[in-house]
């Protein structure tokens, strides 16, 4: 999309040229170019700030034209009245809009004289210097006092711990994909952290453990956000001041700074998001040279970064949507370009499928492969996964398992649902509450390993202890009628004609009876799927169904989360519908029977795709489980853009070293204002263009930047913000930060454009230049000063709380909801 | 002067007999034996109770939808002379003779019947032939699910009616836009669009989807209008303003009007009062208003008050204390202060009374003149019956160990001092010296020593706490939450200095006389907010289903079973229509995509105007299906098959459109053409046959034998009830 419009723009400005009343020689152009040289000692600041950068990929001639189209016209001198008339006169060429892209060739034909070589080199050097300055400042702010506080802050307790798990190679479970934690682990490993720190709770001192490697890694990625944003805005707007403003907003935002300084997933996530955005924008500007080396480079880099973003957190999906939208509209334009053959369009399509779908998917899968390869020891995450999966983990009791092979009466077993992420059949000493079926003991499924998962398998008609050595061993066979007794509470697995608590169509399953004596509703027929009668039942291998004898229903788990009374475990029901679903199929996992010989079993190892699918199911279930509770303060999405309340990273009392995650209010409220202004300005311009109003060339150029570049950023902001309104899970303030990056970039572009428009509409050139410079400088200095005010939030503060009038921060508590 | 006599007075009328006949048949199919069964059928039990509330003018709160739908049903009851005396407690209960069943069911049946001619009109306005239009009407006519749903006292058919009315009037409007903008009919249809949209929203929130669809189509058209350079700026502005007024302002006003009428109709207090704030309750006749009438407005030192939690979740309750103390050791081994329990109690009780005391003085009566308590003042709260002070300290609360325990202080001489000073923080204050007002002020009580805030944690205490709700002190830093806010509900000035007299005083009812009325907007906003946030229990119903089951008709709902015979009513769709409608949607989507791609490459299969017509038909019909169906995937409430019916109605409209298009495009030769029509006729007779087969389950008028019922159970998942003898 961008490619076509930029070409169109070039065409329009090009055709506009000959009609320009005041002919301007190449000499004048050269003079101006020298004025633009940023490093020039006598350079007036306004001019330097007003300078827009040439597009690196277009030819010199086109560049000159582009620049003329977008220069703040006030620089040209002459009273506005004189300026305006000829501009209106040039409205005729609007018709060229319809002419189509062929005109794009024209500008090169009209290319004016090449500029002096030296000035170009200086210009390039200046640009690099500026980039270096921005980067340096970002690194300086992020790495300043990185080692403080020397104790665990906030979620470091999770992610640091998970990093340690990688170093120790212990298997764990987390609701986020593995890449971020893997990188943290790697950073720790490379910097000499040995994985021995326990990361128990926030506030624990690190002592001698080396934590700086991991923090440094996150801070490094966090610092890179600033130059990335700078480059993205530069590419979108071709305006150095806009890029500078963006960089300043991000550098001086206390929130971004705080979030980048600790061992968290967010700096890694934001790094990949911004990198993907940058490479997408870069790739867009290569659109006029398809299939060239830079084109391929940026396209595949976009894909790689997408994989990274998704590999850190699932919210990486939003940037994928943005790139996807960009790609689709891009392809749509190519497809509509009748000068391209269908084969060429097909090539374009294939290239994008390769780089933006196949490549990221491969990389994403690869991170999982590494994840499973590295984590090969049993750990806290075992119970979440199927029996077959656990057999992979050394240290797990199923690894090279040595257990009795065939199920016999008297065996103590755990029963696991075959459906992924459903857990073990479980019961505990709590009754179903009043009004929900019969008031008997709850039966649920539970994901963690627990003593309450143990059941004894008994004959239906006798209550004699089958482990009595005088009885011979009797195996359980397919089709037998059995009873399952809960080991801890001695109640039988029971079902009856009562509605199940959540799935009303099914029957309730309870624990019933005293010391194993119940009634005929405790009898279940055990069946092995796809087997004949009389066969023995194998541990782990056999997929069994339990059919209730009286009602004929099948034991299953609905997968629905019980409310608080059921400890948020999953519902178990007896379903009268005999459909073959995985929900009602179980397998026996642990098996203890002293009378039987232990045989070493090699369980069927699951294939990699199965593991991959399973871990995703478990993660989704985990994410859905993070529900906020009533009567608890929770952060709401509408709080975020207004910077309503921060997050406490460290310290509560006035004696503690306190770090408080809160956006720099000046930056955030400016961002908020900018979004509103953008919508207003954007719709005015869009309506004006739809009405066919004749915009002067300068305004035309500015509005193109605003609508195209700004539009992409606005889309990014919306995609990273609005979906949170639909999410049922518990939300935190830091979820807003990716969106905040986009809105800061939008602010940069908006204010640059707005000031240029102001300057353009004013009369004298010097005044206009002055207004532009003053406006921009005040924005830059304002953010810097507000950072000076608010920096203790990020770098830490000790002393009385801000509610206390004695505190130095007391005057900065602009909202009552801030509690630093 | 008598010039008008020069010409004869002539009335010309075009009567489309098709429409007349179709309407007549539709009325017949929907109104036939409308009062049968004379028993409560399925959700009638639910809507019926609200009708009774309307008849008795009792306030109620229903989170499922705005009041317009309920009011329409109640209108039927009003016209039929229903007095509201019926106990809506059980599906299948026989109606007593005072219930005007016929008139209660009349309105849904009429709207259901009108769907048939409206389907006809919509297809015509979309630019399709009379043949296709008749087809759409005929399909609408024999759709079993639509018939069942409209013959009962339910709201779906009303909703569908307004949905289709909105689409139809928008089409009429946009067609007259081409010829005579700003004419009378143009205004009429434009306004009707807005009105129909607001009615759809007023019946059920799902109506918002159709409203948004119409708005989208209207804004796309408006955008083209802006681009039309033959119109002057002023004229474009007029067009836009007219649309904004009709499609945005009118619906908003209508929506307010529904609530206005609703609040005028239900002005008496009733069983749902408790959910509302004290101020709202006081505005209702009877109930709290009777108690609070004439209470002193300003809380003064020495006032006796009850404090109600503003958040009121899980249940509305009042700050409470009683003689029992916290157990020394909890079940999990933690210890407590063993002081007197402070809880939140959901019932009115003499133990809910507290006395506001000035820490500097000893007296517990109001001085003359009363000294009002202001924002920022430090107060003590004395429990009326036990004269103990409300206290909190650094002891973990029983169920929320991260918060502080709140107790009424008992001095055990164990060097645990009393910390009973609270600072009053009026949340909704207008100035910093505002006086604490009964009912109106929402206050936080901030503990002076620890800056903890008195909060309802929402947890139920175990048996030692009599299952009352836990109250804790939570550090303010955790953020603002409504569960920390309280308001004075009952209030009187304390007069007796002696404890015995005071106990007597507390037991006697408070009475005085001033009524305080909230403005309509305040009441509307509160009611709307409560309706949106009131949470119904999300447990599953026996006949609930998931959206995926709907397209394939994998589910049915047993509505009613005859008490003796096996005659029964089921919500079951016409399987042929459902299958072909789904197929038509798919075909439409594929064809649309195909045309779109080819147009992009410069190949125009369809001429411009027929392409626009084709796209508009898709946007309204396929779009209408999508917007009425897809949102259900994101809903967490209990869903039923009937939620799909609005989407289905749009899908049925699409079906003849696709058929006609296929017929036009594919059949070039007359032979093919007649073959195609033959196929369509055969298919339609097939649908008729299915309708006829399922008819006993739709009307419930015929008792079928078990074997016949078994034969009707085409899918295992259909819950057709078979009596076991």
């Amino acid at each position: 999309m961008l490619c076509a419009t930029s070409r169109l723009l070039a065409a329009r400005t090009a055709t506009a040229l000959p009609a320009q009343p005041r002919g301007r020689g190449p000499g004048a152009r050269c003079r101006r170019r020298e004025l633009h040289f940023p490093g020039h000692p006598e350079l007036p600041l306004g001019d330097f700030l007003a300078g827009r950068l040439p597009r690196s990929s277009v030819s010199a001639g086109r560049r000159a034209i582009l620049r003329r189209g977008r220069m703040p016209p006030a620089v040209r001198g002459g009273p506005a009245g004189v300026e305006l008339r000829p501009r209106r006169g040039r409205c005729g060429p609007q018709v060229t809009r319809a002419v189509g892209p062929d005109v794009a060739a024209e500008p090169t034909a009209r290319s004016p004289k090449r500029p002096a070589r030296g000035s170009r080199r200086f210009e390039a050097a200046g640009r690099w210097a500026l980039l270096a300055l921005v980067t340096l400042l970002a690194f300086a702010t992020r790495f300043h006092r990185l080692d403080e506080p020397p104790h665990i802050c906030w979620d470091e307790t999770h992610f640091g711990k998970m990093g340690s798990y990688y170093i120790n190679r212990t298997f764990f479970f987390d609701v986020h994909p593995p890449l971020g934690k893997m990188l943290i682990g790697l950073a720790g490993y490379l910097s000499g952290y040995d994985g021995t720190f326990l990361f128990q709770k926030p506030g624990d001192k690190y002592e001698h453990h080396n934590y700086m490697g991991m923090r440094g890694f996150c801070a490094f990625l966090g610092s890179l956000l600033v130059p990335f944003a700078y480059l993205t805005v530069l590419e979108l707007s071709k305006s150095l001041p806009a890029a500078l403003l963006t960089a300043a907003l991000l550098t001086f935002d206390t929130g971004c700074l705080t979030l980048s300084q600790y061992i968290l997933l967010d700096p890694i996530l934001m790094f990949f998001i911004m990198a993907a955005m940058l490479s997408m924008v870069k790739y867009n500007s290569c659109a006029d040279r398809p299939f060239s080396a830079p084109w391929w480079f940026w396209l595949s880099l976009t894909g790689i970064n997408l994989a990274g973003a998704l590999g850190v957190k699932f919210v990486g999906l939003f940037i994928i949507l943005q790139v996807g939208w960009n790609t689709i509209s891009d392809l749509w334009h190519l497809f509509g370009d009748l000068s391209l053959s269908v084969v060429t369009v097909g090539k374009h399509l294939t290239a994008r499928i390769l780089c933006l779908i196949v490549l990221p998917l491969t990389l994403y899968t690869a991170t999982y492969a590494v994840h499973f390869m590295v984590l090969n020891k049993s750990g806290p995450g075992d119970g979440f996964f199927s029996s077959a999966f656990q057999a992979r983990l050394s240290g797990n009791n199923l690894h090279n398992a040595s257990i009795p092979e065939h199920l016999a009466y008297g065996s103590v077993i755990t029963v696991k649902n075959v459906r992924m992420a459903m857990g073990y059949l479980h019961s505990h000493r709590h009754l179903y509450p009043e009004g929900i079926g019969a008031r008997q003991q709850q039966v649920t499924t539970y994901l963690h390993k627990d003593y309450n998962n143990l059941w004894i398998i008994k004959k239906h008609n006798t209550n004699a202890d089958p482990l009595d050595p005088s009885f011979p061993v009797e195996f359980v066979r397919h089709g037998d009628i059995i009873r399952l007794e809960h080991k801890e509470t001695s109640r039988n697995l029971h079902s009856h004609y009562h509605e199940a608590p959540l799935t009303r169509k099914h029957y309730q399953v309870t624990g019933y009876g005293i010391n194993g004596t119940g009634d005929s509703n405790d009898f279940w027929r055990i069946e092995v799927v796809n087997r004949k009668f009389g066969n023995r039942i194998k541990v782990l291998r056999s997929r069994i169904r339990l059919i209730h004898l009286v009602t004929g229903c099948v034991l299953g788990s609905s997968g629905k989360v019980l409310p608080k009374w059921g400890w948020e475990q999953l519902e178990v029901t007896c379903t009268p519908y005999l459909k073959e679903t995985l929900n009602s199929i179980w397998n026996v996992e642990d098996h203890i029977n002293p009378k039987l010989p232990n045989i070493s079993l090699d369980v069927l190892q699951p294939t990699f795709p199965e593991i991959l699918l399973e871990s995703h199911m478990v993660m989704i279930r985990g994410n859905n489980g993070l529900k906020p509770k009533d009567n608890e303060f929770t952060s709401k999405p509408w709080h975020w853009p207004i910077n309503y309340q921060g997050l406490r990273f460290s310290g509560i009392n006035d004696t503690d070293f306190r770090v408080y995650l809160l956006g720099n209010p000046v930056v955030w409220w400016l961002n908020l204002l900018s979004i509103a202004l953008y919508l207003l300005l954007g719709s005015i311009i869009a309506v004006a263009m739809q009405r066919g109003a004749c915009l002067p060339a300068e305004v035309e150029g500015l509005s193109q930047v605003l609508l195209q570049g700004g539009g992409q950023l606005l889309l990014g902001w919306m995609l990273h913000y609005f979906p949170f309104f639909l999410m049922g899970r518990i939300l935190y303030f830091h979820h807003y930060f990716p969106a905040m990056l986009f809105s800061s970039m939008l602010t940069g572009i908006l204010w640059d454009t707005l000031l240029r428009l102001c300057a353009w509409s004013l009369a004298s050139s010097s005044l206009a230049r002055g207004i532009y410079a003053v406006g921009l400088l005040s924005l830059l200095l304002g953010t810097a000063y507000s950072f000076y005010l608010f920096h203790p939030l990020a770098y830490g503060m000790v002393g009385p709380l801000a509610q206390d009038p004695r505190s130095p921060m007391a005057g900065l508590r602009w909202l009552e909801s801030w509690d630093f | 002067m008598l010039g008008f006599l020069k010409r004869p007075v002539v009335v010309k009328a075009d009567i489309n007999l098709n429409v007349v006949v179709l309407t007549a048949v539709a009325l017949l199919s929907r109104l036939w034996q409308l009062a049968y069964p004379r028993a409560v059928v399925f959700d009638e039990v639910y809507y019926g109770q609200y009708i009774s509330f309307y008849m008795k003018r009792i306030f109620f709160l229903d989170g499922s939808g705005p009041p317009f739908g309920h009011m329409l049903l109640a209108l039927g009851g009003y016209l039929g002379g229903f007095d509201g005396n019926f106990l809506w407690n059980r599906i299948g209960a026989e109606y007593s003779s005072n219930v005007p069943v016929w008139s209660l069911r009349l309105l849904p049946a009429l709207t259901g019947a009108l769907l048939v001619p409206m389907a006809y009109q919509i297809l015509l306005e979309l630019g399709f032939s009379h043949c296709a239009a008749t087809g759409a009407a005929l399909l609408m006519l024999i759709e079993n699910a639509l018939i069942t749903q409209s013959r009962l006292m339910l709201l779906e058919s009303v909703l569908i009616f307004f949905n289709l009315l909105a689409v139809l009037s928008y089409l009429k409007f946009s067609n007259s836009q081409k010829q005579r903008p700003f004419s009378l009919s143009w205004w009429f249809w434009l306004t009707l669009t807005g009105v129909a949209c607001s009615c759809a929203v007023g019946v059920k929130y799902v109506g918002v989807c159709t409203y948004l669809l119409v708005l989208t189509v209207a804004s796309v058209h408006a955008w083209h209008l802006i681009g039309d350079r033959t119109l002057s700026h002023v004229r474009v502005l007029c067009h836009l303003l007219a649309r904004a007024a009709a499609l945005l302002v009118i619906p908003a006003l209508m929506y307010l009007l529904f609530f206005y009428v609703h609040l005028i109709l239900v002005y008496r207090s009733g069983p749902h009062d408790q959910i509302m704030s004290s101020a709202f309750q006081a505005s209702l006749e009877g109930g709290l208003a009777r108690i609070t009438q004439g209470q002193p407005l300003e809380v003064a030192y020495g006032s006796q008050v009850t404090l109600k939690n503003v958040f009121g979740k899980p249940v509305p309750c009042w700050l409470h204390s009683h003689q029992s103390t916290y157990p020394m050791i909890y079940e999990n081994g933690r210890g407590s202060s063993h002081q007197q329990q402070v809880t939140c109690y959901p019932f009115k009780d003499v133990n809910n009374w507290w006395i506001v005391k000035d820490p500097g003085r000893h007296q517990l009566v109001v001085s003359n003149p009363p000294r009002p308590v202001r924002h920022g003042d430090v107060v003590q709260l004395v429990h009326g019956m036990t004269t103990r002070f409300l206290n909190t300290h650094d002891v973990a609360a029983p169920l929320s160990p991260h918060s502080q325990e709140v107790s009424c202080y008992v001095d055990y001489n164990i060097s645990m001092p009393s910390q009973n000073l609270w600072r009053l923080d009026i949340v909704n204050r207008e100035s910093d010296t505002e006086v604490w007002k009964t009912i109106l002020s929402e206050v936080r009580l901030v503990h002076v020593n620890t800056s903890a805030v008195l909060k309802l944690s929402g947890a139920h205490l175990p048996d030692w706490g009599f299952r009352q709700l836990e109250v804790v002190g939570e550090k303010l830093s955790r953020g603002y939450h409504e569960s920390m806010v309280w308001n004075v509900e009952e209030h009187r000035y304390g007069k007796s200095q002696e404890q015995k007299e005071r106990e007597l005083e507390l037991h006697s009812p408070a009475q005085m006389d001033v009524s305080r009325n909230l403005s309509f907007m305040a009441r509307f906003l509160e009611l709307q907010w409560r309706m949106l946030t009131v949470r119904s229990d999300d447990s599953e119903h026996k006949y609930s289903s998931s959206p995926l089951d709907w397209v394939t008709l994998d589910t049915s709902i047993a509505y009613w079973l005859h008490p003796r015979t096996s005659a029964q009513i089921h919500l079951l769709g016409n399987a042929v229509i459902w299958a072909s409608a789904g197929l038509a949607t798919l075909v439409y989507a594929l064809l649309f995509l195909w045309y779109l791609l080819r147009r992009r490459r410069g190949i125009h299969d369809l001429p411009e105007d027929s392409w626009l017509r084709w796209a508009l038909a898709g946007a309204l019909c396929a779009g209408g299906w999508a917007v009425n169906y897809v949102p259900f995937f994101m809903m967490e409430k209990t869903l039923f098959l009937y939620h799909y019916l609005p989407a289905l109605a749009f899908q049925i409209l699409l079906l003849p459109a696709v058929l006609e298009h296929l017929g036009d495009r594919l059949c070039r030769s007359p032979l093919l053409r007649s073959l195609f029509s033959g196929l369509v006729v055969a298919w339609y007779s097939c649908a008729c046959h299915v309708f006829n087969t399922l008819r006993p389950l739709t009307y419930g008028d015929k008792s079928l034998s078990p074997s016949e019922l078994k034969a009707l159970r085409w899918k295992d998942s259909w819950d057709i009830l078979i009596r076991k003898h």
Side-chain angles (χ1 to χ4, degrees), chain A residues 15 22 71 113 166 290 297 389 398 411 470 548 815:
Chain A
T15 40
R22 289 169 292 115
M71 269 301 294
K113 227 172 160 183
Y166 279 103
F297 174 73
F389 180 86
L398 295 180
S411 296
S470 57
H548 193 238
L815 284 187

Side-chain angles (χ1 to χ4, degrees), chain A residues 97 332-342 345 499 501-505 560 564 577 579 627 630-634 636 644-645 648 652-653 683 686-687 689-693 726 728 803 813 816 819, chain B residues 223-229 231-233 236 311 313-314 429 444 455-458 476-481 483 535 537-545 555 596-598 600-602 634 636 716-717 719:
Chain A
R97 193 186 291 228
W332 186 244
H333 277 276
L334 290 173
F335 190 67
D337 184 352
L338 293 182
S339 64
L340 298 177
S341 70
V342 181
V345 176
E499 285 176 354
L502 300 180
T503 318
R504 294 285 178 85
K505 296 173 189 172
K560 291 173 190 156
K564 227 184 270 171
Y577 307 108
K579 267 191 221 161
K627 287 267 159 69
D630 252 357
N631 294 39
E632 195 115 301
F633 174 79
T634 44
K636 304 261 166 29
Y644 178 74
Q645 193 171 39
R648 190 168 282 144
I652 300 175
N653 299 323
S683 39
V687 168
M689 281 164 73
Q690 176 77 2
R691 277 306 290 164
L726 299 175
Q803 306 152 348
R813 197 160 168 255
E816 259 193 47
D819 38 17
Chain B
W223 185 247
H224 288 309
L225 204 71
I226 292 176
D228 184 353
R229 297 184 198 164
L231 295 174
S232 70
H233 290 318
V236 168
F311 189 52
K313 295 223 174 113
R429 63 180 181 270
R444 286 193 300 193
K455 181 191 169 183
L456 170 69
S457 81
L476 191 55
S477 56
R478 291 273 179 82
Y480 169 81
H481 194 273
S483 60
R535 197 184 297 169
D537 47 344
D538 48 356
S539 56
E540 204 167 314
H541 187 273
K542 183 159 186 239
Y543 292 109
S544 64
S545 47
T555 169
L596 192 70
L597 287 178
R598 280 170 65 86
R600 188 75 192 160
R601 290 303 289 180
M634 284 178 277
E636 287 184 358
D716 280 347
S717 46
D719 288 306

Side-chain angles (χ1 to χ4, degrees), chain B residues 425-468:
Chain B
D425 177 23
I426 300 180
V427 180
N428 57 349
R429 63 180 181 270
E430 272 154 17
S431 74
D432 274 352
T433 53
E434 178 139 323
V435 178
W436 187 4
K437 293 192 187 118
T438 313
I439 293 186
L440 301 176
S441 290
E442 301 186 337
V443 302
R444 286 193 300 193
L445 291 166
V446 185
H447 192 232
V448 172
N449 300 57
T450 59
S451 71
V453 185
L454 193 71
K455 181 191 169 183
L456 170 69
S457 81
H460 283 272
L461 294 170
D463 288 334
W464 56 255
F466 311 101
R467 307 239 150 232
Q468 297 173 4

Side-chain angles (χ1 to χ4, degrees), chain A residues 433-654:
Chain A
E434 217 144 335
I436 295 176
R439 224 170 125 64
Q440 296 172 4
Q441 185 166 302
Q442 296 172 14
V443 173
T444 62
T445 57
Y446 187 47
L447 275 167
H448 295 271
K449 295 199 165 188
D450 186 279
Y451 281 116
N452 273 325
N453 298 344
L454 293 176
W455 299 83
I456 308 172
I457 189 161
K458 290 199 168 169
K459 287 196 151 185
H460 71 282
N461 43 10
T462 62
N463 208 10
D465 181 15
L467 291 182
D468 191 335
S470 57
F471 288 102
V473 173
E474 196 175 341
F475 287 109
V476 183
R477 289 166 195 279
H478 176 96
D480 278 6
I481 312 292
I482 59 154
R483 212 153 41 85
L484 275 182
E485 187 182 310
H486 189 238
K487 187 158 179 284
E488 295 291 308
T489 60
S490 309
R491 300 207 191 273
N492 292 326
L493 188 70
H494 177 98
S495 180
H496 45 215
Y497 287 115
H498 280 276
E499 285 176 354
L502 300 180
T503 318
R504 294 285 178 85
K505 296 173 189 172
H506 297 180
Y507 302 134
Q508 187 192 22
V509 177
T510 64
Y512 181 73
I514 299 167
N515 289 332
T517 314
D519 63 11
S520 62
N521 270 331
D522 302 347
F523 300 157
W524 301 82
R525 190 168 67 242
I526 187 165
E527 286 185 356
V528 182
V529 179
N530 301 330
R531 282 294 179 79
K532 290 196 200 87
F533 271 91
N535 279 349
R536 287 182 187 176
I537 292 168
K538 283 185 183 162
V539 174
L540 291 171
R541 295 279 188 79
S542 294
R543 294 150 66 89
I544 57 178
R545 302 212 298 170
L546 288 168
I547 295 162
H548 193 238
L549 208 60
V550 176
T551 61
C553 59
V554 185
L555 185 77
S557 173
S558 66
K560 291 173 190 156
V561 182
L562 292 173
K564 227 184 270 171
W565 55 257
W567 311 98
E568 276 137 28
Q569 298 173 1
L570 306 183
E571 183 198 37
V572 168
T573 63
C574 195
T575 156
Y577 307 108
L578 304 178
K579 267 191 221 161
E580 283 271 320
T581 63
L582 285 181
N583 291 37
S584 53
I585 299 178
W586 307 78
N587 73 335
V588 176
E589 188 172 296
D590 294 299
H591 183 205
I592 306 158
N593 193 332
K595 282 158 78 180
L596 289 175
N598 284 348
I599 293 166
S600 108
L601 279 178
D602 55 326
V603 190
L604 273 181
Q605 295 258 342
T607 59
F608 180 68
E610 276 168 9
I611 303 178
L612 196 65
L613 187 66
E614 184 173 352
S615 51
H616 277 88
M617 298 294 291
V618 178
M619 278 191 283
I620 289 168
R621 188 162 291 283
N623 256 320
N624 286 342
L626 297 172
K627 287 267 159 69
K629 295 193 176 65
D630 252 357
N631 294 39
E632 195 115 301
F633 174 79
T634 44
S635 186
K636 304 261 166 29
W638 65 264
H639 292 168
W640 303 339
I642 56 176
N643 211 12
Y644 178 74
Q645 193 171 39
L647 255 175
R648 190 168 282 144
F649 263 41
S650 152
I652 300 175
N653 299 323
D654 42 4

Side-chain angles (χ1 to χ4, degrees), chain A residues 67-208:
Chain A
R67 177 170 319 142
R68 167 179 296 194
R70 290 176 184 182
M71 269 301 294
V75 191
R76 291 181 181 178
V82 186
E83 280 281 313
L84 276 173
R85 241 175 291 116
R87 246 183 256 133
R88 289 231 173 91
R90 271 193 278 117
C91 279
Q94 283 295 338
V95 201
T96 48
R97 193 186 291 228
V99 175
D102 324 40
V103 202
E106 260 177 83
T108 30
R110 282 169 211 262
S111 109
K113 227 172 160 183
R114 282 186 170 275
R117 194 164 272 236
S119 72
R120 265 178 75 202
R121 210 166 42 226
F122 275 124
E123 199 177 279
R127 260 191 304 146
W128 283 112
L130 213 54
L131 179 61
L133 180 75
V134 163
T135 317
L136 196 72
L137 202 59
F139 271 85
T141 47
R142 267 62 178 166
F143 276 85
H144 177 61
R145 299 179 71 178
L146 184 63
D147 53 339
E148 282 192 35
H151 57 240
I152 302 178
C153 287
W154 198 52
D155 269 359
E156 281 190 338
T157 171
H158 298 301
F159 301 117
K161 196 190 295 166
M162 289 168 188
S164 311
Y165 281 139
Y166 279 103
I167 296 175
N168 299 326
R169 312 191 70 172
T170 1
F171 190 76
F172 67 95
F173 161 73
D174 184 38
V175 294
H176 303 301
L179 180 66
K181 290 153 293 184
M182 234 146 64
L183 290 176
I184 290 174
L186 183 70
Y189 181 71
L190 292 179
S191 63
Y193 165 62
D194 53 3
T196 49
F197 189 62
L198 288 177
F199 282 101
Q200 264 174 338
K201 61 175 195 303
D204 287 1
K205 292 259 184 299
Y206 282 114
E207 313 280 348
H208 61 278

Side-chain angles (χ1 to χ4, degrees), chain A residues 282-305:
Chain A
K282 283 276 187 195
Y283 144 79
N284 275 340
S285 33
C286 298
D288 51 348
R289 290 176 301 154
F291 305 112
S292 63
W295 188 88
W296 278 112
F297 174 73
W298 290 116
L299 184 61
S300 40
L301 200 61
T302 313
I304 291 169
N305 285 317

Side-chain angles (χ1 to χ4, degrees), chain A residues 6-29:
Chain A
S6 65
R7 213 176 291 153
L8 221 73
L9 170 70
R12 218 173 301 150
T13 39
T15 40
L17 258 183
Q20 200 161 16
R22 289 169 292 115
R24 187 168 295 199
R29 224 171 271 139

